[in-house]
Amino acid sequence: MITGKNYIGNNLIAEGNKTYKTFNPQLNIENESVFTEATSEEIDLAVKLATKAYKKFSKTSGIRKAVFLNAIADEILALDDELIQTYCSETGLPEGRAKGERGRTVGQLRTFAKLVEDGSWVEATIDTAQPDREPMARPDVRKMMMPLGPVVVFGASNFPLAYSTAGGDTAAALASGCPVIVKSHPMHAGTGELVASAIIKAAEKTGMPNGVFSNLNSSGIEVGQKLVMHPQVKAIGFTGSIRGGRALYDMAAQREEPIPVFAEMGSVNPVIMLPTALQNRGEELAKTYASSITLGTGQFCTNPGLILGIKGEELSDFVANLSKDILEIDPSCMLHPNIKGAYEVNKTTILSQDKINVTAEFTKDVQSNYAKQVVATVEGSTFLANTKLHQEVFGPFSIVVQCEDSDELEEILSKLEGQLTGTVIGDNNEVSEYSEVVSALQNRVGRIIFNGVPTGVEVCPSMVHGGPYPASTDSRFTAVGVSSIKRWVRPFSYQDWPNDLLPDELKNENPLEILRSVNRELTTSKI
Ligand code: NAP
């Protein structure tokens, strides 16, 4: 049942007087539940509890953390239809998407459970002592990853489950041994509270310390700001706009003790359409891309917002087909009137620039919060000269850049801001012919896709979901897949520490039987 209160550790508390409701964009009405924003005292209490919980939780074994993570997954599934209906009523997204995202969320939790159960993720590295080494004895040095401390996770508007309360950031932080305080996204506070109740139930059932998780309501930026500035918070996870992510990053850098902010922000996800591929299968590509641009009403960070090709008949035919196909797709609902408003503003900004040619725009009447899809074209030189055209339009929008030649294409790619993904559509021989173009794209992105679409992010260990700024604030890390755990840990060395006082991961006997580097050899053997 939704109470509208904050989870401050295991307790539901709402002493504040600032309240708000979520919004059903399909029905264009407010939802019933009333949420109370967390007060300064509640924020402080949540962080204090998390700091206290860290002492125990950071030392909790991988096996016990795995039990906790699996229990969260079970409790989320047990929420059943109430969760799915709340999700749909707060986002306008269909039931199929809600169930798919729930599956992904549960899958992520179970994957992290497996990772910590195995235990090798801590990268145990041991260099044993060499007392007889000349000219100086070598000490015994042993390194492993340690959790940072309380982590604040900002729920994402466009992934109420997989990138919010118990989403990727939270799962990775809990797996690493960091307590988590979630700044719930105001657009889906009910979904957030339900998932928070599942986490708290799981924490209680599996004996985790009070404060290992808190969920704070907020309908403005103050709660998030206070959390980022709280001296006992040690790291931030964020998914959303460049403006929001950058503000939090700057704030964290100005603290007396600066802390890392791992923000995953905007991206236009450039797609290069090479001529032979367009000639051979331009019609099919147009259909594929019409679907990809409008998937989820374009509200994915991997949406293909920028398509680039070299001028010619093939590209013109592709634009004509894409423009025809995209208008055959029924418009769909956006997450919230504010997101719809931002779509209209950003779309208008781009379309009002000089020398923009709109080739498709849905014109029939649609329901209030539905987005009309748009495709526009522009010459390469115009695009190069106007950086406003490089900005993300969050929604079903894509701009096709018609370049004079491969040199211009390469120059444009090299001048783009950092991106989450880049895609190359080409035939095999063609790709080696355009190797400089491909290199230019590779330098600007975190993941490069061959003959596919950027939408759809596989959750697997080899995935990189990040990229040069502003796609993320730190291109060395990924926000998806088990490697994302590395954002919440730091390397720590023990020198000449007695064997029985070392953590199990570093003991001579290797009681956890994990894979370790011992004197530069990867092994599960004892020392
Ligand atoms: P947002 O404005 O970036 O906000 C995300 C979260 O951060 C919200 O909880 C917000 O709090 C908080 N926040 C924002 N600015 C802050 C600040 N200066 N200080 C403290 N907290 C701050 O994103 P959104 O609300 O999800 O959507 C707005 C726009 O962001 C969209 O229209 C879209 O353009 C973009 N977006 C992009 C992606 C992507 O993956 N590329 C994903 C989602 C959204 P409050 O809401 O409580 O104010």
Side-chain angles (χ1 to χ4, degrees):
M1 196 192 78
I2 297 169
T3 66
K5 296 183 180 180
N6 304 281
Y7 270 104
I8 311 292
N10 296 352
N11 294 317
L12 276 166
I13 306 181
E15 297 293 325
N17 49 24
K18 191 170 169 196
T19 58
Y20 62 98
K21 290 181 169 183
T22 60
F23 195 85
N24 185 325
Q26 288 281 5
L27 303 179
N28 205 27
I29 52 166
E30 281 188 326
N31 291 307
E32 272 176 23
S33 301
V34 178
F35 297 89
T36 306
E37 181 163 306
T39 62
S40 297
E41 292 72 31
E42 287 160 359
I43 295 168
D44 194 47
L45 183 57
V47 181
K48 281 201 174 117
L49 283 174
T51 306
K52 196 163 167 224
Y54 172 73
K55 289 185 195 166
K56 267 196 186 164
F57 189 56
S58 60
K59 293 190 172 62
T60 298
S61 73
I63 291 175
R64 286 199 58 217
K65 283 188 290 185
V67 171
F68 175 37
L69 293 167
N70 279 321
I72 298 174
D74 294 341
E75 293 295 339
I76 289 175
L77 290 174
L79 289 167
D80 206 12
D81 205 40
E82 187 184 7
L83 179 65
I84 299 301
Q85 293 316 320
T86 307
Y87 173 111
C88 294
S89 72
E90 291 185 327
T91 62
L93 294 167
E95 212 173 289
R97 159 75 192 264
K99 288 184 174 160
E101 204 183 317
R102 181 182 60 184
R104 178 172 164 168
T105 308
V106 164
Q108 287 174 166
L109 286 158
R110 298 208 194 282
T111 308
F112 277 108
K114 272 207 189 90
L115 183 82
V116 292
E117 197 174 17
D118 167 80
S120 302
W121 72 273
V122 297
E123 297 176 10
T125 308
I126 299 172
D127 293 297
T128 54
Q130 290 177 357
D132 301 330
R133 191 182 69 172
E134 293 292 346
M136 276 162 62
R138 184 171 92 170
D140 182 288
V141 185
R142 302 182 182 213
K143 181 183 82 173
M144 65 179 277
M145 294 298 176
M146 294 282 191
L148 289 175
V151 163
V152 168
V153 171
F154 283 71
S157 61
N158 60 341
F159 276 98
L161 293 173
Y163 275 85
S164 288
T165 324
D169 288 350
T170 299
L174 291 177
S176 76
C178 294
V180 171
I181 300 154
V182 166
K183 205 296 272 175
S184 170
H185 199 289
M187 294 181 197
H188 47 73
T191 307
E193 189 191 320
L194 288 174
V195 174
S197 73
I199 299 176
I200 296 297
K201 256 191 204 157
E204 287 176 336
K205 278 188 184 167
T206 59
M208 295 298 137
N210 184 16
V212 72
F213 180 81
S214 288
N215 182 57
L216 305 184
N217 294 327
S218 87
S219 63
I221 61 176
E222 294 80 15
V223 171
Q225 286 175 333
K226 283 180 187 149
L227 283 167
V228 173
M229 294 310 286
H230 199 293
Q232 284 163 338
V233 168
K234 298 300 175 198
I236 309 291
F238 171 92
T239 302
S241 67
I242 296 176
R243 202 167 56 168
R246 182 62 198 243
L248 300 178
Y249 180 85
D250 289 344
M251 215 183 296
Q254 280 157 20
R255 287 171 38 133
E256 195 173 321
E257 179 198 346
I259 53 168
V261 173
F262 298 102
E264 189 251 278
M265 304 175 289
S267 195
V268 290
N269 304 297
V271 179
I272 302 171
M273 296 276 178
L274 295 177
T276 311
L278 283 182
Q279 196 175 34
N280 291 341
R281 48 202 165 89
E283 283 186 28
E284 175 199 326
L285 285 166
K287 281 199 175 22
T288 305
Y289 269 83
S291 300
S292 179
I293 294 164
T294 51
L295 190 71
T297 328
Q299 301 167 116
F300 288 125
C301 44
T302 50
N303 188 258
L306 179 65
I307 297 173
L308 304 114
I310 294 169
K311 267 190 197 168
E313 207 179 315
E314 306 87 11
L315 186 61
S316 303
D317 289 349
F318 169 75
V319 170
N321 285 322
L322 175 66
S323 303
K324 172 177 71 64
D325 295 338
I326 206 163
L327 293 181
E328 283 166 12
I329 294 172
D330 285 334
S332 47
C333 191
M334 295 202 90
L335 293 161
H336 192 272
N338 292 351
I339 301 259
K340 167 77 186 333
Y343 174 62
E344 294 303 333
V345 169
N346 296 332
K347 188 173 75 172
T348 308
T349 303
I350 297 228
L351 298 184
S352 62
Q353 303 299 305
D354 278 351
K355 301 180 187 166
I356 301 294
N357 176 31
V358 176
T359 58
E361 183 164 26
F362 199 89
T363 48
K364 286 183 225 153
D365 284 347
V366 292
Q367 280 173 246
S368 285
N369 299 306
Y370 279 49
K372 296 178 178 181
Q373 54 269 36
V374 167
V375 174
T377 62
V378 65
E379 299 278 311
S381 55
T382 309
F383 186 81
L384 260 179
N386 186 351
T387 51
K388 279 197 181 137
L389 300 174
H390 301 202
Q391 303 311 311
E392 178 187 40
V393 177
F394 194 67
F397 178 95
S398 197
I399 187 160
V400 183
V401 181
Q402 298 165 315
C403 303
E404 285 302 322
D405 51 29
S406 66
D407 287 346
E408 189 174 67
L409 177 55
E410 190 187 327
E411 191 184 352
I412 290 175
L413 291 170
S414 67
K415 292 197 170 143
L416 286 179
E417 290 185 324
Q419 306 290 333
L420 291 169
T421 75
T423 303
V424 179
I425 305 288
D427 286 355
N428 284 349
N429 298 339
E430 227 180 353
V431 174
S432 40
E433 216 181 293
Y434 286 88
S435 63
E436 303 276 313
V437 167
V438 174
S439 294
L441 179 65
Q442 203 169 348
N443 284 335
R444 304 311 305 135
V445 306
R447 169 166 64 113
I448 195 160
I449 299 142
F450 184 57
N451 282 339
V453 288
T455 36
V457 183
E458 183 68 29
V459 182
C460 59
S462 48
M463 178 53 70
V464 173
H465 190 65
Y469 183 86
S472 75
T473 43
D474 195 334
S475 61
R476 295 169 298 171
F477 297 91
T478 173
V480 170
V482 287
S483 306
S484 64
I485 199 170
K486 291 187 181 167
R487 295 170 300 165
W488 315 124
V489 291
R490 66 188 174 97
F492 184 89
S493 291
Y494 291 88
Q495 186 168 326
D496 289 333
W497 210 247
N499 187 54
D500 56 339
L501 297 183
L502 284 167
D504 284 351
E505 288 85 346
L506 298 177
K507 284 192 168 112
N508 287 340
E509 303 77 21
N510 193 12
L512 304 177
E513 297 177 357
I514 60 174
L515 190 64
R516 315 189 289 186
S517 162
V518 178
N519 295 325
R520 299 178 196 189
E521 197 183 305
L522 275 178
T523 175
T524 52
S525 303
K526 299 174 184 177
I527 294 168

